[in-house]
Amino acid sequence: DYELCEEWGHLYPVPREDLINLRREHLLHLLEMGDMEKALQLLQRIEDPGICLAISEQSLDQHPNLAACHFLADYLTAHFYASLTTARRNEIQALYIGSKVLLTLPELSRVNYFHLSSRPLLMLEQLLMNMKVDWVAVAVQTLHQLLAGQEIGFTVEDINSLLSKYAEKALNFPFTLKEKRS
């Protein structure tokens, strides 16, 4: 049905907003189905870069599934980096990095942290508070690789500071140990 509507749009004048809505819904449908190749082809068929940017951003703002968010954040960064404001660029890069970190977690646990996908540092802190040390190790390694040369609102030093803070708390004993005398 989406393809028929797209063909119809080539034959008859369709208002710009309706065209954006149609293609956004088509894109989200393809992404929800997991067909990234067709989603990429759909975006490449859009001749007007302004419409393509609007469709991609609106789709991302609807918070589709994890793979779709990762795909859209990657696409926007790769194709529209210069067109985005600094704040929006940082937001999209944080979402890209957060979704990449989420993909390193066990599949059944991802849903518990998906709401933090646009805030990777907070996700890391949540993992630390939940005592998921093995997951934190993989997440930190992934973050170190992804942050090399990028500015997204936090740095490797922020990660190290967070880890130090929780390591200090783990070693903080609220009571003193007393020797037992026989």
Side-chain angles (χ1 to χ4, degrees), residues 130-163:
N130 290 341
M131 309 268 300
K132 304 294 185 187
V133 179
D134 294 340
W135 299 357
V136 169
V138 175
V140 168
Q141 183 179 6
T142 303
L143 285 170
H144 279 283
Q145 292 169 356
L146 293 172
L147 287 176
Q150 290 196 31
E151 291 181 29
I152 61 162
F154 68 94
T155 62
V156 173
E157 288 78 27
D158 295 325
I159 294 169
N160 292 339
S161 173
L162 182 68
L163 292 173

Side-chain angles (χ1 to χ4, degrees), residues 47-178:
E47 296 172 6
D48 184 345
I51 290 177
C52 189
L53 174 61
I55 291 167
S56 302
E57 278 195 291
Q58 287 177 19
S59 297
L60 184 63
D61 290 339
Q62 291 203 357
H63 303 290
N65 65 34
L66 176 60
C69 283
H70 189 70
F71 172 85
L72 289 166
D74 186 36
Y75 184 82
L76 282 164
T77 303
H79 293 87
F80 297 105
Y81 189 82
S83 304
L84 301 168
T85 64
T86 304
R88 183 67 171 162
R89 192 179 309 145
N90 288 345
E91 179 185 329
I92 290 171
Q93 285 182 318
L95 184 61
Y96 174 79
I97 289 174
S99 62
K100 192 77 167 178
V101 169
L102 267 176
L103 289 170
T104 67
L105 301 180
E107 192 170 342
L108 296 175
S109 301
R110 292 175 189 163
V111 69
N112 298 329
Y113 300 97
F114 182 72
H115 66 285
L116 298 172
S117 58
S118 62
R119 303 188 59 198
L121 205 55
L122 190 57
M123 185 189 319
L124 185 62
E125 186 167 7
Q126 187 69 50
L127 288 169
L128 284 166
M129 289 192 303
N130 290 341
M131 309 268 300
K132 304 294 185 187
V133 179
D134 294 340
W135 299 357
V136 169
V138 175
V140 168
Q141 183 179 6
T142 303
L143 285 170
H144 279 283
Q145 292 169 356
L146 293 172
L147 287 176
Q150 290 196 31
E151 291 181 29
I152 61 162
F154 68 94
T155 62
V156 173
E157 288 78 27
D158 295 325
I159 294 169
N160 292 339
S161 173
L162 182 68
L163 292 173
S164 296
K165 174 181 155 187
Y166 277 89
E168 182 180 314
K169 286 183 180 198
L171 296 175
N172 188 12
F173 295 105
F175 56 91
T176 59
L177 297 174
K178 295 182 180 179

